[in-house]
PDB file of all heavy atoms in Angstrom:
ATOM      1  N   TRP H 299      99.768 105.425 109.359  1.00 98.00           N
ATOM      2  CA  TRP H 299     100.062 106.336 110.465  1.00 98.00           C
ATOM      3  C   TRP H 299      99.405 105.739 111.703  1.00 98.00           C
ATOM      4  O   TRP H 299      98.275 105.261 111.638  1.00 98.00           O
ATOM      5  CB  TRP H 299      99.520 107.735 110.185  1.00 98.00           C
ATOM      6  CG  TRP H 299      99.854 108.721 111.268  1.00 98.00           C
ATOM      7  CD1 TRP H 299      99.065 109.085 112.317  1.00 98.00           C
ATOM      8  CD2 TRP H 299     101.092 109.432 111.439  1.00 98.00           C
ATOM      9  NE1 TRP H 299      99.724 109.986 113.130  1.00 98.00           N
ATOM     10  CE2 TRP H 299     100.973 110.220 112.605  1.00 98.00           C
ATOM     11  CE3 TRP H 299     102.273 109.482 110.711  1.00 98.00           C
ATOM     12  CZ2 TRP H 299     102.000 111.040 113.054  1.00 98.00           C
ATOM     13  CZ3 TRP H 299     103.290 110.312 111.170  1.00 98.00           C
ATOM     14  CH2 TRP H 299     103.158 111.082 112.321  1.00 98.00           C
ATOM     15  N   PRO H 300     100.090 105.738 112.857  1.00 97.00           N
ATOM     16  CA  PRO H 300      99.540 105.044 114.026  1.00 97.00           C
ATOM     17  C   PRO H 300      98.448 105.836 114.731  1.00 97.00           C
ATOM     18  O   PRO H 300      98.362 107.058 114.616  1.00 97.00           O
ATOM     19  CB  PRO H 300     100.765 104.885 114.932  1.00 97.00           C
ATOM     20  CG  PRO H 300     101.620 106.068 114.592  1.00 97.00           C
ATOM     21  CD  PRO H 300     101.422 106.311 113.115  1.00 97.00           C
ATOM     22  N   ALA H 301      97.635 105.117 115.482  1.00 97.00           N
ATOM     23  CA  ALA H 301      96.627 105.755 116.324  1.00 97.00           C
ATOM     24  C   ALA H 301      97.316 106.647 117.361  1.00 97.00           C
ATOM     25  O   ALA H 301      98.420 106.352 117.832  1.00 97.00           O
ATOM     26  CB  ALA H 301      95.772 104.700 117.019  1.00 97.00           C
ATOM     27  N   ARG H 302      96.653 107.722 117.708  1.00 97.00           N
ATOM     28  CA  ARG H 302      97.230 108.697 118.643  1.00 97.00           C
ATOM     29  C   ARG H 302      97.655 108.043 119.951  1.00 97.00           C
ATOM     30  O   ARG H 302      98.721 108.342 120.499  1.00 97.00           O
ATOM     31  CB  ARG H 302      96.191 109.783 118.935  1.00 97.00           C
ATOM     32  CG  ARG H 302      96.606 110.801 119.993  1.00 97.00           C
ATOM     33  CD  ARG H 302      95.480 111.774 120.288  1.00 97.00           C
ATOM     34  NE  ARG H 302      94.303 111.101 120.800  1.00 97.00           N
ATOM     35  CZ  ARG H 302      94.118 110.800 122.092  1.00 97.00           C
ATOM     36  NH1 ARG H 302      95.051 111.083 122.981  1.00 97.00           N
ATOM     37  NH2 ARG H 302      93.014 110.206 122.491  1.00 97.00           N
ATOM     38  N   GLN H 303      96.830 107.131 120.479  1.00 97.00           N
ATOM     39  CA  GLN H 303      97.122 106.514 121.776  1.00 97.00           C
ATOM     40  C   GLN H 303      98.420 105.715 121.739  1.00 97.00           C
ATOM     41  O   GLN H 303      99.047 105.501 122.790  1.00 97.00           O
ATOM     42  CB  GLN H 303      95.961 105.603 122.195  1.00 97.00           C
ATOM     43  CG  GLN H 303      94.657 106.343 122.463  1.00 97.00           C
ATOM     44  CD  GLN H 303      93.821 106.549 121.210  1.00 97.00           C
ATOM     45  OE1 GLN H 303      94.323 106.433 120.090  1.00 97.00           O
ATOM     46  NE2 GLN H 303      92.540 106.837 121.403  1.00 97.00           N
ATOM     47  N   LEU H 304      98.824 105.264 120.549  1.00 97.00           N
ATOM     48  CA  LEU H 304     100.087 104.534 120.419  1.00 97.00           C
ATOM     49  C   LEU H 304     101.246 105.477 120.115  1.00 97.00           C
ATOM     50  O   LEU H 304     102.350 105.302 120.635  1.00 97.00           O
ATOM     51  CB  LEU H 304      99.970 103.474 119.318  1.00 97.00           C
ATOM     52  CG  LEU H 304      98.900 102.407 119.526  1.00 97.00           C
ATOM     53  CD1 LEU H 304      98.945 101.389 118.396  1.00 97.00           C
ATOM     54  CD2 LEU H 304      99.081 101.710 120.867  1.00 97.00           C
ATOM     55  N   LEU H 305     101.004 106.475 119.288  1.00 98.00           N
ATOM     56  CA  LEU H 305     102.082 107.391 118.935  1.00 98.00           C
ATOM     57  C   LEU H 305     102.631 108.117 120.159  1.00 98.00           C
ATOM     58  O   LEU H 305     103.835 108.408 120.226  1.00 98.00           O
ATOM     59  CB  LEU H 305     101.596 108.397 117.894  1.00 98.00           C
ATOM     60  CG  LEU H 305     102.643 109.384 117.369  1.00 98.00           C
ATOM     61  CD1 LEU H 305     103.847 108.645 116.778  1.00 98.00           C
ATOM     62  CD2 LEU H 305     102.036 110.312 116.325  1.00 98.00           C
ATOM     63  N   VAL H 306     101.784 108.399 121.135  1.00 97.00           N
ATOM     64  CA  VAL H 306     102.261 109.142 122.305  1.00 97.00           C
ATOM     65  C   VAL H 306     103.201 108.305 123.168  1.00 97.00           C
ATOM     66  O   VAL H 306     103.837 108.848 124.080  1.00 97.00           O
ATOM     67  CB  VAL H 306     101.078 109.654 123.160  1.00 97.00           C
ATOM     68  CG1 VAL H 306     100.255 110.667 122.380  1.00 97.00           C
ATOM     69  CG2 VAL H 306     100.209 108.511 123.674  1.00 97.00           C
ATOM     70  N   THR H 307     103.342 107.013 122.890  1.00 97.00           N
ATOM     71  CA  THR H 307     104.344 106.217 123.604  1.00 97.00           C
ATOM     72  C   THR H 307     105.752 106.508 123.107  1.00 97.00           C
ATOM     73  O   THR H 307     106.731 106.106 123.743  1.00 97.00           O
ATOM     74  CB  THR H 307     104.071 104.705 123.455  1.00 97.00           C
ATOM     75  OG1 THR H 307     104.260 104.313 122.089  1.00 97.00           O
ATOM     76  CG2 THR H 307     102.656 104.352 123.897  1.00 97.00           C
ATOM     77  N   LEU H 308     105.869 107.183 121.968  1.00 97.00           N
ATOM     78  CA  LEU H 308     107.176 107.496 121.392  1.00 97.00           C
ATOM     79  C   LEU H 308     107.774 108.707 122.094  1.00 97.00           C
ATOM     80  O   LEU H 308     107.173 109.783 122.099  1.00 97.00           O
ATOM     81  CB  LEU H 308     107.031 107.797 119.896  1.00 97.00           C
ATOM     82  CG  LEU H 308     108.304 108.189 119.148  1.00 97.00           C
ATOM     83  CD1 LEU H 308     109.248 106.999 119.045  1.00 97.00           C
ATOM     84  CD2 LEU H 308     107.958 108.729 117.764  1.00 97.00           C
ATOM     85  N   PRO H 309     108.943 108.570 122.704  1.00 96.00           N
ATOM     86  CA  PRO H 309     109.587 109.757 123.277  1.00 96.00           C
ATOM     87  C   PRO H 309     109.773 110.837 122.207  1.00 96.00           C
ATOM     88  O   PRO H 309     110.157 110.540 121.075  1.00 96.00           O
ATOM     89  CB  PRO H 309     110.939 109.219 123.778  1.00 96.00           C
ATOM     90  CG  PRO H 309     110.699 107.764 124.016  1.00 96.00           C
ATOM     91  CD  PRO H 309     109.730 107.340 122.954  1.00 96.00           C
ATOM     92  N   HIS H 310     109.480 112.051 122.552  1.00 96.00           N
ATOM     93  CA  HIS H 310     109.627 113.200 121.644  1.00 96.00           C
ATOM     94  C   HIS H 310     108.702 113.088 120.429  1.00 96.00           C
ATOM     95  O   HIS H 310     109.024 113.588 119.343  1.00 96.00           O
ATOM     96  CB  HIS H 310     111.072 113.361 121.181  1.00 96.00           C
ATOM     97  CG  HIS H 310     112.070 113.392 122.300  1.00 96.00           C
ATOM     98  ND1 HIS H 310     112.067 114.388 123.267  1.00 96.00           N
ATOM     99  CD2 HIS H 310     113.091 112.550 122.621  1.00 96.00           C
ATOM    100  CE1 HIS H 310     113.048 114.153 124.127  1.00 96.00           C
ATOM    101  NE2 HIS H 310     113.678 113.054 123.771  1.00 96.00           N
ATOM    102  N   HIS H 311     107.535 112.444 120.620  1.00 97.00           N
ATOM    103  CA  HIS H 311     106.593 112.318 119.506  1.00 97.00           C
ATOM    104  C   HIS H 311     106.143 113.693 119.009  1.00 97.00           C
ATOM    105  O   HIS H 311     105.962 113.901 117.805  1.00 97.00           O
ATOM    106  CB  HIS H 311     105.379 111.489 119.922  1.00 97.00           C
ATOM    107  CG  HIS H 311     104.657 112.014 121.131  1.00 97.00           C
ATOM    108  ND1 HIS H 311     103.652 112.941 121.050  1.00 97.00           N
ATOM    109  CD2 HIS H 311     104.811 111.734 122.460  1.00 97.00           C
ATOM    110  CE1 HIS H 311     103.196 113.220 122.263  1.00 97.00           C
ATOM    111  NE2 HIS H 311     103.889 112.505 123.146  1.00 97.00           N
ATOM    112  N   ARG H 312     105.968 114.632 119.922  1.00 97.00           N
ATOM    113  CA  ARG H 312     105.522 115.966 119.525  1.00 97.00           C
ATOM    114  C   ARG H 312     106.567 116.652 118.638  1.00 97.00           C
ATOM    115  O   ARG H 312     106.221 117.289 117.633  1.00 97.00           O
ATOM    116  CB  ARG H 312     105.229 116.805 120.771  1.00 97.00           C
ATOM    117  CG  ARG H 312     104.675 118.188 120.474  1.00 97.00           C
ATOM    118  CD  ARG H 312     104.462 118.968 121.776  1.00 97.00           C
ATOM    119  NE  ARG H 312     104.089 120.346 121.512  1.00 97.00           N
ATOM    120  CZ  ARG H 312     102.834 120.797 121.449  1.00 97.00           C
ATOM    121  NH1 ARG H 312     101.831 119.938 121.656  1.00 97.00           N
ATOM    122  NH2 ARG H 312     102.584 122.063 121.202  1.00 97.00           N
TER     123      ARG H 312
END
Side-chain angles (χ1 to χ4, degrees):
W299 183 264
R302 175 184 61 85
Q303 295 87 343
L304 300 183
L305 183 56
V306 295
T307 67
L308 178 69
H310 308 297
H311 56 88
R312 184 182 173 94

